Amino acid sequence: MYDQPRPDRARPAMTFEQMLEHVRYDGVYPTRERAEEAVRTVLAALGRQLVGDERVDLARCLPVEAALALTAQIPDTARLTGWDFIKDLADRTGTTPAVARWDTGAVLSVVSHLAGPDLLARILRHLPDGYALLFGRAEPCRPQEAA
């Protein structure tokens, strides 16, 4: 369904319009405008949580318009778990947690593809628990600390 990501990452694997169409299809949104709203709000929320090289590298993988939505946000000092991310997004957008979760899944599944498995693994290592599921991946088991 998706084009293969470019190995050199010099350019995103798809245009913003193509990204919107994938999100529209995955999220079963009735209009392109609704898909764009989801892309912008979810990426802004992710931009508040993602820092460092992973933030920069992800921005390089995204179409310019999407990268700007991600990087225009100043990262929050409070690190949100995946569930708290959904609740915060619902509060900011005035929707329900179910709608926020749906939007997040539709957008981050496309972002996951654009990022590729290596970058996605790095991103997930730097985010609190609960984000793997938001990206459509199984939550990794974290080693338990010794008592």
Side-chain angles (χ1 to χ4, degrees), residues 121-134:
R122 286 179 32 222
I123 289 169
L124 292 174
R125 278 194 299 272
H126 287 89
L127 290 171
D129 289 341
Y131 282 86
L133 293 174
L134 300 180

Side-chain angles (χ1 to χ4, degrees), residues 2 54-57 65 73 92 136 139-140:
Y2 299 110
E54 290 72 28
R55 177 183 171 107
V56 172
D57 292 345
E65 299 89 340
Q73 303 302 309
R92 288 176 186 263
E139 193 69 40

